[in-house]
Amino acid sequence: MPGSQKRRARFASRALLTLLGVFAVGACNGKHDAQAVATKPGAPVASAAAKSRAKPVLTHRATKAPLEQFVQQHVEEADANGTRVLVYVGATWCEPCQRFHKALESGQLDEDLAGTKFIEFDSDRDGAELRAAGYASKYIPLFSVPDQSGHASGRAIEGSVKGDGAVRANLVPRLLALLDGKPT
């Protein structure tokens, strides 16, 4: 092989290796780059898959907006960004509710309930409004799927066991079934 052909072959090999290296580095950093782009002002909205992996959130009504209107706003936001919403009714004295809060805050439910927003209401304080919107139950905690108008859809789970198994063994499987539209 003449010298000029060898030089061209080496150049082509180096160019190919350089391109492969750039591609490999880009592939390794793809997740980071996508997150950085999504956080820039005016950047495209992150995909529904990325949002569905978001840490579960517990939110409260800070204003005196009507309950249905507050829930409806969160349902619309969830529809727009590919997340899920559950109305959660508990009480400060409820042991399974306390355990649920602790598990949610400590990150124990991040993987199982990723992409879920829990709109929290207090059974004692908000009872009349909850009943008027269809969120009545015999037992707490109550987890209910809201409809588009902010009212209860009829798909719900209520009550839980006490003790260590309250969240992981009792609530989580039932919540996953509820979120997946399966019988609970």
Side-chain angles (χ1 to χ4, degrees), residues 97-162:
C97 302
Q98 293 166 358
R99 289 181 182 271
F100 174 73
H101 274 261
K102 183 178 177 183
L104 195 65
E105 290 169 0
S106 69
Q108 294 175 32
L109 306 178
D110 286 2
E111 186 175 328
D112 292 322
L113 300 173
T116 306
K117 180 182 278 189
F118 295 91
I119 306 172
E120 182 179 23
F121 295 98
D122 185 277
S123 176
D124 297 324
R125 182 188 63 235
D126 304 312
E129 276 188 286
L130 288 162
R131 283 187 295 282
Y135 297 103
S137 68
K138 281 185 169 182
Y139 306 105
I140 55 174
L142 167 70
F143 296 91
S144 180
V145 176
D147 67 14
Q148 294 296 316
S149 69
H151 292 83
S153 69
R155 292 184 37 235
I157 60 170
E158 59 182 275
S160 181
V161 299
K162 292 183 179 180

